[in-house]
Amino acid sequence: MVSLGLSKKQTHVRPLAKGELVLPGQRQRNFPVIAGGVGLSVSQTHTLEQSWRAQGVIPQFMQGLRFESYACEVGGQDLRTAQAWKQQIQQGQISAVKGGFVVADHESDRQLSLYRDPMGERTLFYTRIGAGLIYASNLDLLLASGMVQRSLNLDALARYLSYAYLPGRETLLNDVFELLPGEALHWSQGEVKTEHFWTLPEIDRECSEETAIRLLREELESAILRRMPAQETVCASLSGGIDSSLVVALLSKFSLSKVRTWSVSFGEKYRNELPFSQALAEAAQTEHQILEIMPQTVMHFLDATLACLGNPIGDPLTVPNALLFRTANAYGPVLFNGEGGDPLFGGPKNIPMLLSALYLQETKTPEFELARTYLHSYRKLYADLPQLFEPETLKALTPGGLEKDLIPWFSAQSEQSLVHQLMSANTRLKGSHHILYKVNAISQKLGVYPASPLFDKNIAELAFSMPPQFKLRGGVEKYILKQAVSDLLPAQILNRPKSGMQVPVEQWFKPGGPLNREAKHRLRNLAKYPWFKRDYFQRLAAWDLGGYLPRHGLKVWILLSLEAWLRYYIGGP
Amino acid sequence: MKCLKCGTNSLYRARSNGKCPQCGKRFVFEPKRGDPYTDGFFQAALTQISAKQSLYFHPRHLYFELARRKKAKPLQNPKAAAIGTVVAGLIFGVIMSFPLASFLGNAFFLVALVYLFILFRAAKKVISAAESPEIQFKWLDFSKHLNRWKAVEGETIPYLLQTSDKPSKLIAAPPFKDLLDYSVERLILCDKPEIVDFLVANQFHLEQKCAILSFNGYPRENFEEIRAMLQRSEHLMVYFIHNASLNGCSMVSELKRPEWFPHAKIFDLGLNPVHAEKFKGLWEKSNSPFRTLAGYSEEELAWLKEWKLDLMVIPPSRLLRHLRNQINAHQEKIVDAYAAGDGVSDFGVESGFVLDFDDGGGGDFG
């Protein structure tokens, strides 16, 4: 790749592979978390009160409203008080709120409603305790109640291995659930009902391209302005792709002081996107640094990062993301990212699925086949499950459960747009449960708010109301998004082909690679759990899974993340 | 010979009924009765060609794999080997002549002549077998062997695609109304439908975000729609793969015609006569009427007049990996051009793209 001649000494930061993920001198910012319960006995309430107060959280059991939010407003008014939230709920206008939130409204000591923001920027877990219900904004807090049995949900395990995240309500623990984005849960007299208070809109055929471009630009600017800190330094991650570049370009336009940006690199010998991020940093005149992350550093912080996450995420960027938040902590309260452009505007997952539909073999169940292909398109361990799981584990799974989960997204009807359905699935599954979940979970403990302006509710509504042909134009991905910011970005970034941030996991974990020995040790530990065949791990460690593109490194990473999660949440084998 | 079921090694006299003396499993092949290989040999070829049951393959992939395995290691000096055969035969003949001369009487000279004739024929065969580039294994024999294998081991061989006369059927009418409103920027164009089936079965189109068509209009149900969709692509790149044959090599020049892709960048990834040397011993006789082709040297045309080389001589995993590497390398060149801030309008290079069979442990093709 091309070097732009920046001085390495000035621009590179290399986190060391030692110490804690949360630094002793880290700025402690007040990030409220919520927890509470309803329908519990007096002794249960007393136990929970003690457990949660020991964690520094004041729980809610009686009438009242608790909320956790970031950059929330409605009709230009910020929502900063419980009273304002209550009013919004009473008016039936919770769906009009912009921003990330979870709200627990104890209407009385016998009635509770929980709400989660439409896109899934914030998270809420819950579980039933007898006829009652307890909730908390992270999994650790829910488990700190001491009332949850820690047993593994095997269907959820199969989902994690297939997606590298958990794509729905179920967590890896039996009977522990995550409130879905845009969902309200009502508990009354021991009965639980859920409803969606917000759904993705249908396509508006009347929308012209010019109008769409103008409206999108307005919404982009508004979403970014609403999330900018009032006075402190503006911080952003900058990968060099179009999404993070447009966010940084707009931040620089609006910020009174220089924006501080970071790119991640894994060393000079691996392909990277640095020339693009550096070009944008120069054009937008940001204070730019490269966070150079060595393999030993990633492995050192793996356990601590998984412990932040709650639900496991098998994305090799989790540790670099955590280190980015930790670095940004010293400079500002918010770290912007460019997440959201791909699922909302026709990113790279669509074309393989379009091709799959074109080359579908004759079958009675095309939606089942499309669901299978969608699972394959994640390129994780879906195809490996029969070799990875013991026969007893396979028997315990819901037959065809993975595919059946997806069939509603691929019900092939002549009036439907496949791209629209794909973008719905990508936004609802990967967007909410992987991307937004990850940045929210990691950032909480590192004292920095994640700002994902492209996942703004208004932008999502606009994106889904546009004809899909505006987003995928011929073979050009994210066409309308590029048009909306064409004046802001250099042509080399605007027109470049997507290459994506590649973490060199293949090179790290391969036999002879710097992390091979550590990986083998951890995989041996994972193989001791009763659900897996040991032979699979031996073949994986020997780089001998077969196929022309077995992706050993990525599979190792997903399994190492699972091993760290199991050790932390369930205990050793 | 080893039983595939129980692993018992048995002598011929113990398995003369065609079954394993230990577990009673029937053997498919018996080299003592003229079969060219054992069950273990055939199974090893199946395992290799399917990359341990992870890749789909065509029967011709298996055919060439068996031929490759059966083929003797090329002799360094075939003439020396032939002389060695003659000398050894003569010494043996002289030693045997003493007891035989008195026993055979006058008939000895006749037997000696026949012996010498056989000896020189054997020497000639050593030279011709070592030097012949033609595949020595008949397709018809292979087909019979495959059927025998199926009769004993079961009709369904995992990951084996249907034979060439029955390409699998794709869905005729896409159920989504917008499916053809979009396009892709890559096409793998093949000279044969079987290669389309092979690539699609192995999900190459998903991995590399490319359409896959055959030159003669496959998949039949969607061909025109997909071609029209590709013609709308502003930056279409066509990667053409084909047999090294008169038919295969003649197609590339036609792709610039209006009904194809006059504005696309076209990359001929082979096979071409230039690749033939690597596959010596797997060539087949050309059966097409000769015609001259633009862009090929006299020497290459002379080769094409006599020979052809099937793309399926390349094992599935190697072909898929080579194609992927070539496409990715091209993509990286484009990204680098953007990174350098130049070459923005130039989508790569048009020439110099031939399959490089020497990367990553090559040399096991021919």
Side-chain angles (χ1 to χ4, degrees):
Chain A
M1 296 291 279
V2 180
S3 163
L4 295 184
L6 297 175
S7 156
K8 185 170 177 174
K9 202 173 174 185
Q10 290 170 342
T11 59
H12 282 60
V13 188
R14 187 183 282 189
L16 298 175
K18 64 179 186 184
E20 301 294 319
L21 180 60
V22 179
L23 294 171
Q26 176 184 290
R27 288 190 199 185
Q28 297 300 318
R29 296 189 174 92
N30 185 23
F31 290 96
V33 286
I34 62 171
V38 70
L40 306 167
S41 68
V42 174
S43 66
Q44 284 173 329
T45 307
H46 179 70
T47 308
L48 284 166
E49 183 92 32
Q50 283 190 324
S51 308
W52 279 335
R53 279 184 184 270
Q55 302 286 318
V57 177
I58 300 167
Q60 185 78 27
F61 297 107
M62 308 300 283
Q63 189 175 12
L65 184 144
R66 304 295 294 272
F67 68 96
E68 178 199 324
S69 69
Y70 177 67
C72 282
E73 65 154 60
V74 64
Q77 298 294 310
D78 290 345
L79 286 170
R80 292 181 189 275
T81 64
Q83 198 181 1
W85 280 102
K86 186 74 185 173
Q87 198 177 1
Q88 204 63 31
I89 291 166
Q90 283 171 342
Q91 289 170 354
Q93 289 296 309
I94 192 90
S95 63
V97 178
K98 300 175 187 173
F101 61 84
V102 287
V103 178
D105 181 16
H106 291 252
E107 292 140 86
S108 69
D109 58 357
R110 309 300 301 164
Q111 265 191 318
L112 167 72
S113 291
L114 303 173
Y115 303 90
R116 184 178 175 195
D117 67 83
M119 303 308 295
E121 289 183 64
R122 312 305 282 180
T123 310
L124 198 65
F125 293 94
Y126 66 93
T127 187
R128 300 296 302 268
I129 304 291
L133 181 146
I134 61 171
Y135 61 85
S137 29
N138 62 59
L139 193 57
D140 276 11
L141 203 51
L142 198 76
L143 297 178
S145 66
M147 292 182 174
V148 180
Q149 183 121 27
R150 301 185 185 206
S151 66
L152 194 73
N153 178 335
L154 289 179
D155 278 325
L157 176 63
R159 285 192 199 104
Y160 166 73
L161 293 167
S162 302
Y163 291 86
Y165 64 87
L166 290 164
R169 186 186 303 282
E170 290 184 9
T171 69
L172 270 187
L173 294 173
N174 277 317
D175 304 321
V176 176
F177 305 102
E178 193 188 339
L179 193 63
L180 294 178
E183 188 177 63
L185 178 150
H186 306 289
W187 183 98
S188 176
Q189 308 293 325
E191 293 289 315
V192 166
K193 285 181 188 163
T194 55
E195 60 171 336
H196 288 286
F197 64 82
W198 184 87
T199 49
L200 292 166
E202 288 305 308
I203 303 164
D204 174 10
R205 297 284 166 196
E206 302 304 313
C207 179
S208 76
E209 190 175 314
E210 292 71 27
T211 309
I213 291 170
R214 182 177 53 78
L215 291 175
L216 179 55
R217 178 60 175 265
E218 286 171 13
E219 290 296 350
L220 286 170
E221 295 190 354
S222 160
I224 284 171
L225 278 167
R226 203 167 58 249
R227 287 167 173 80
M228 282 176 72
Q231 288 163 343
E232 290 135 302
T233 304
V234 176
C235 301
S237 60
L238 177 60
S239 72
I242 183 148
D243 303 333
S244 64
S245 296
L246 81 87
V247 170
V248 168
L250 282 170
L251 286 170
S252 293
K253 186 177 161 187
F254 299 135
S255 179
L256 298 174
S257 57
K258 276 197 167 188
V259 175
R260 191 165 272 277
T261 53
W262 291 273
S263 301
V264 171
S265 153
F266 298 100
E268 286 173 357
K269 64 178 172 178
Y270 304 114
R271 280 189 72 80
N272 58 58
E273 305 257 285
L274 296 181
F276 295 107
S277 56
Q278 286 171 342
L280 195 282
E282 284 186 358
Q285 297 185 325
T286 70
E287 290 282 350
H288 188 62
Q289 281 188 319
I290 294 158
L291 203 62
E292 193 168 288
I293 300 176
M294 296 292 107
Q296 290 77 8
T297 310
V298 171
M299 193 52 94
H300 177 78
F301 290 115
L302 172 62
D303 290 354
T305 305
L306 259 294
C308 290
L309 279 170
N311 281 340
I313 304 279
D315 168 358
L317 279 170
T318 48
V319 176
N321 285 151
L323 293 171
L324 261 174
F325 279 110
R326 187 175 83 164
T327 309
N329 177 282
Y331 300 95
V334 182
L335 182 69
F336 279 79
N337 62 60
E339 303 287 5
D342 284 343
L344 292 176
F345 290 98
K349 268 200 172 298
N350 296 290
I351 286 178
M353 285 302 295
L354 283 168
L355 286 161
S356 152
L358 277 174
Y359 287 90
L360 210 55
Q361 300 284 316
E362 192 170 47
T363 167
K364 286 178 187 166
T365 54
E367 54 280 320
F368 192 84
E369 286 305 309
L370 283 173
R372 283 185 63 226
T373 309
Y374 188 75
L375 286 160
H376 278 297
S377 76
Y378 271 80
R379 299 160 175 177
K380 304 296 189 300
L381 285 116
Y382 169 63
D384 294 18
L385 295 182
Q387 291 100 53
L388 172 62
F389 280 152
E390 285 285 359
E392 289 76 25
T393 317
L394 288 169
K395 250 185 260 171
L397 299 178
T398 305
L402 287 167
E403 297 83 359
K404 283 177 191 163
D405 284 351
L406 289 166
I407 284 178
W409 303 105
F410 298 113
S411 53
Q413 292 168 21
S414 59
E415 280 308 302
Q416 283 175 323
S417 153
L418 179 58
V419 170
H420 187 78
Q421 284 180 262
L422 276 172
M423 287 197 291
S424 306
N426 294 338
T427 304
R428 275 307 182 212
L429 302 178
K430 188 169 182 181
S432 298
H433 294 285
H434 174 182
I435 301 169
L436 286 171
Y437 179 89
K438 177 181 71 173
V439 291
N440 176 52
I442 292 177
S443 63
Q444 276 192 5
K445 286 192 183 163
L446 293 163
V448 177
Y449 271 116
S452 311
L454 301 188
F455 264 123
D456 185 84
K457 180 173 76 80
N458 282 27
I459 292 179
E461 285 174 346
L462 182 61
F464 277 89
S465 65
M466 289 178 199
Q469 291 82 353
F470 284 8
K471 287 162 272 187
L472 198 55
R473 171 65 59 89
V476 179
E477 293 160 344
K478 299 190 274 194
Y479 170 80
I480 201 87
L481 187 62
K482 290 173 183 173
Q483 293 300 308
V485 294
S486 58
D487 59 318
L488 292 171
L489 302 182
Q492 73 180 116
I493 290 175
L494 205 58
N495 301 325
R496 58 166 291 205
K498 171 117 181 161
S499 58
M501 166 59 82
Q502 299 290 326
V503 185
V505 282
E506 294 293 324
Q507 292 88 338
W508 288 352
F509 293 121
K510 70 182 179 186
L515 298 180
N516 178 264
R517 185 179 287 192
E518 177 71 15
K520 275 183 176 168
H521 169 69
R522 288 173 180 241
L523 288 178
R524 270 198 294 273
N525 194 43
L526 185 61
K528 289 177 191 162
Y529 288 94
W531 314 294
F532 307 115
K533 283 184 194 162
R534 290 186 179 204
D535 152 67
Y536 179 86
F537 294 98
Q538 285 162 0
R539 287 193 294 127
L540 178 62
W543 243 232
D544 189 27
L545 288 182
Y548 83 101
L549 204 55
R551 296 193 166 88
H552 294 105
L554 187 58
K555 289 172 183 173
V556 169
W557 179 263
I558 292 167
L559 291 167
L560 295 188
S561 299
L562 176 66
E563 193 270 340
W565 187 94
L566 286 168
R567 230 177 331 108
Y568 184 79
Y569 285 102
I570 301 267
Chain B
M1 196 162 74
K2 201 171 183 178
C3 171
L4 291 182
K5 189 177 174 190
C6 69
T8 304
N9 257 319
S10 56
L11 295 171
Y12 178 62
R13 62 173 177 274
R15 60 170 198 268
S16 55
N17 62 352
K19 291 182 178 175
C20 169
Q22 182 68 26
C23 69
K25 184 190 176 297
R26 231 179 101 194
F27 288 106
V28 181
F29 304 113
E30 179 49 80
K32 293 277 185 193
R33 291 182 188 160
D35 286 331
Y37 29 62
T38 63
D39 289 15
F41 186 96
F42 197 89
Q43 179 67 60
L46 274 172
T47 305
Q48 169 83 20
I49 212 72
S50 65
K52 296 182 185 167
Q53 297 207 2
S54 62
L55 291 180
Y56 288 91
F57 62 97
H58 191 270
R60 280 182 76 77
H61 283 124
L62 180 61
Y63 166 63
F64 287 114
E65 179 62 26
L66 286 165
R68 194 173 6 251
R69 285 168 172 259
K70 261 170 56 64
K71 196 156 62 80
K73 292 262 181 204
L75 295 173
Q76 294 294 323
N77 190 342
K79 282 180 184 161
I83 291 168
T85 306
V86 172
V87 170
L90 286 174
I91 292 169
F92 177 76
V94 168
I95 293 168
M96 293 302 288
S97 65
F98 294 108
L100 285 175
S102 57
F103 178 71
L104 292 172
N106 290 340
F108 171 77
F109 293 103
L110 189 63
V111 170
L113 272 175
V114 171
Y115 178 73
L116 284 173
F117 177 74
I118 292 169
L119 193 60
F120 282 102
R121 280 291 298 268
K124 203 175 165 191
K125 203 167 180 183
V126 166
I127 293 173
S128 69
E131 287 183 342
S132 172
E134 189 177 1
I135 189 163
Q136 300 294 310
F137 182 37
K138 289 192 174 67
W139 170 253
L140 200 62
D141 290 341
F142 163 76
S143 299
K144 285 177 191 164
H145 295 158
L146 187 60
N147 288 337
R148 279 170 57 192
W149 180 269
K150 285 179 178 175
V152 175
E153 299 291 335
E155 270 304 305
T156 308
I157 296 178
Y159 291 86
L160 178 68
L161 293 164
Q162 296 176 59
T163 48
S164 55
D165 55 336
K166 285 183 189 166
S168 46
K169 186 172 166 58
L170 301 175
I171 281 185
F176 294 96
K177 64 173 183 177
D178 63 335
L179 205 49
L180 297 162
D181 288 355
Y182 314 98
S183 190
V184 294
E185 296 186 341
R186 289 178 193 156
L187 165 68
I188 306 286
L189 189 73
C190 317
D191 61 341
K192 294 280 175 63
E194 302 92 280
I195 297 289
V196 177
D197 276 347
F198 162 70
L199 293 174
V200 169
N202 286 304
Q203 301 195 330
F204 195 79
H205 56 313
L206 304 186
E207 289 283 354
Q208 296 302 128
K209 289 167 66 170
C210 54
I212 304 172
L213 295 175
S214 84
F215 187 82
N216 57 357
Y218 183 78
R220 281 184 292 279
E221 294 80 3
N222 293 340
F223 179 80
E224 285 305 336
E225 287 87 349
I226 296 175
R227 184 160 70 166
M229 181 182 96
L230 292 165
Q231 283 165 342
R232 291 198 302 272
S233 177
E234 287 177 34
H235 304 298
L236 181 66
M237 283 170 277
V238 179
Y239 301 93
F240 183 47
I241 52 173
H242 55 90
N243 292 349
S245 65
L246 278 167
N247 283 341
C249 295
S250 68
M251 291 173 187
V252 70
S253 59
E254 298 190 34
L255 297 177
K256 283 286 176 191
R257 286 165 54 163
E259 70 269 29
W260 284 100
F261 308 109
H263 307 298
K265 293 270 182 188
I266 294 163
F267 304 96
D268 178 5
L269 300 188
L271 293 174
N272 278 306
V274 69
H275 300 118
E277 192 62 28
K278 293 265 178 196
F279 300 94
K280 234 173 174 176
L282 298 174
W283 300 0
E284 294 170 285
K285 285 280 182 196
S286 173
N287 49 6
S288 302
F290 179 71
R291 58 202 184 276
T292 191
L293 301 175
Y296 289 89
S297 67
E298 286 296 319
E299 199 184 346
E300 288 171 327
L301 288 171
W303 186 90
L304 285 168
K305 188 175 179 180
E306 195 175 353
W307 301 106
K308 63 178 180 179
L309 184 62
D310 195 313
L311 188 61
M312 291 194 203
V313 296
I314 308 170
S317 61
R318 298 295 293 268
L319 179 61
L320 294 167
R321 210 164 53 234
H322 278 299
L323 279 176
R324 177 177 175 273
N325 290 347
Q326 295 287 0
I327 292 171
N328 285 356
H330 188 207
Q331 176 80 357
E332 285 175 4
K333 275 188 181 182
I334 296 170
V335 172
D336 286 351
Y338 275 98
D342 57 34
V344 172
S345 61
D346 177 16
F347 272 72
V349 286
E350 238 181 312
S351 58
F353 261 70
V354 290
L355 280 175
D356 171 14
F357 296 109
D358 288 332
D359 67 331
D364 57 346
F365 291 113

